[in-house]
Amino acid sequence: MPIKSLLVIKLMNMQTIRLSLAILGMLFALGLVAAQTARAIQPLVTDDADTEGKGGILVEFSNELSFDRQKIDGETLRARDNETTLTLSYGLLDNLDLILEVPYLHARAKFAGETESENGLGDLGLEVKWRFHDSNLAALALVPAITLPTGDEDRGLGSGKVSYGLTFIATKEFDPIDVHLNLGYAHNRFKLVEDRVENRRDIWSASVAAVHDLTPRLDLVADIGIERHEVKGSSLHPAFGLAGLVFALRENLDLDAGVKFGLSRSEPDFALLVGLTWAP
């Protein structure tokens, strides 16, 4: 049985959905009173509106190990996914970055006495971040993106076709908390007939993150988000929460760690995140 055939639609508590949306709304309202721009950092899922500046380089290494368990017809499905991503950003202009994301995936699932696993390169991501507005009120950016079909779709590591998307970013700051808002849309295309039949092509997402400077070298970060379920017919959308710390090892080198947890049953139960950010 291929690994993706073990994936199922998981039930979601609608009170959790309403709670997630309420928290998103409160955080967004909080961001509206902010004053100036700041930068979001790993392990946040939510991006920031800042750019690297002309000729600037940023290298990010991240690893996310997620765990999920659920009951299906009296049997327990246990899933463990690991995604390692290398992200390279280069400043083409002061307000324009080119970004390359290289993911490596490892998925393992055990169900009804069967264990299946797959690993390999996923679909490469190519993005352009354009900061089109920057003032004392807010920094705003748009990030058009495409994914290239470098992952093996027959093994569940990719879609088999070029897909695209667009993310709107708002970044604001008020002492001592920085707030970042993302609103995203992705149009996924699939090579395999079964993927086209089972999966939605149009996916929306929303998330808000906050960064608090505890000390000159230590930051506390938090993130919350929700996106449309990728499986057709399901309105039980995945929602997550995240908390973590970022420690400055050196002026241009940060170490980060965090815990990501599901606010819905359609999101993995929890995940451990760790990463490095280097600005050479």
Side-chain angles (χ1 to χ4, degrees), residues 55-189:
I57 298 174
L58 191 70
V59 181
E60 297 171 290
F61 171 85
S62 64
N63 190 82
E64 178 176 341
L65 177 62
S66 64
F67 302 86
D68 194 30
R69 184 174 65 177
Q70 59 177 296
K71 286 284 188 180
I72 303 173
D73 297 330
E75 297 282 353
T76 301
L77 169 65
R78 293 181 173 87
R80 185 182 68 193
D81 296 332
N82 192 79
E83 181 172 346
T84 302
T85 304
L86 175 65
T87 304
L88 306 174
S89 302
Y90 177 74
L92 297 174
L93 299 171
D94 285 342
N95 66 337
L96 189 70
D97 284 354
L98 179 64
I99 303 169
L100 174 67
E101 294 186 349
V102 184
Y104 188 87
L105 312 173
H106 183 271
R108 182 177 184 273
K110 184 176 182 180
F111 181 70
E114 287 190 48
T115 300
E116 297 285 343
S117 64
E118 292 288 358
N119 65 87
L121 183 69
D123 288 345
L124 295 182
L126 188 62
E127 303 176 352
V128 175
K129 182 191 287 187
W130 173 40
R131 191 181 71 248
F132 63 88
H133 176 80
D134 196 352
S135 69
N136 290 333
L137 180 62
L140 306 176
L142 288 174
V143 184
I146 63 171
T147 58
L148 305 176
T150 52
D152 188 341
E153 66 276 8
D154 292 316
R155 297 164 57 205
L157 300 174
S159 69
K161 283 193 174 184
V162 174
S163 299
Y164 57 86
L166 181 68
T167 301
F168 168 79
I169 303 174
T171 291
K172 298 187 179 184
E173 177 188 280
F174 64 97
D175 190 26
I177 298 176
D178 310 333
V179 178
H180 311 280
L181 166 72
N182 285 188
L183 299 173
Y185 165 77
H187 181 78
N188 297 324
R189 301 170 67 238

Side-chain angles (χ1 to χ4, degrees), residues 205-217:
S205 62
S207 64
V208 176
V211 180
H212 177 58
D213 297 331
L214 295 176
T215 73
R217 300 183 65 182

Side-chain angles (χ1 to χ4, degrees), residues 176-269:
I177 298 176
D178 310 333
V179 178
H180 311 280
L181 166 72
N182 285 188
L183 299 173
Y185 165 77
H187 181 78
N188 297 324
R189 301 170 67 238
F190 304 98
K191 181 178 179 180
L192 300 180
V193 174
E194 56 265 37
D195 288 341
R196 294 199 296 268
V197 171
E198 295 175 0
N199 298 320
R200 289 186 171 111
R201 289 181 172 85
D202 301 307
I203 304 295
W204 54 260
S205 62
S207 64
V208 176
V211 180
H212 177 58
D213 297 331
L214 295 176
T215 73
R217 300 183 65 182
L218 185 64
D219 292 340
L220 173 66
V221 300
D223 208 344
I224 187 170
I226 188 171
E227 69 176 11
R228 191 185 192 194
H229 203 299
E230 64 181 6
V231 178
K232 288 181 178 179
S234 176
S235 60
L236 310 176
H237 307 302
F240 73 89
L242 184 153
L245 294 169
V246 183
F247 180 71
L249 298 173
R250 298 172 55 184
E251 184 178 353
N252 64 342
L253 183 65
D254 290 344
L255 171 67
D256 64 86
V259 177
K260 183 181 177 186
F261 48 91
L263 297 177
S264 66
R265 295 183 183 177
S266 52
E267 181 77 16
D269 294 336

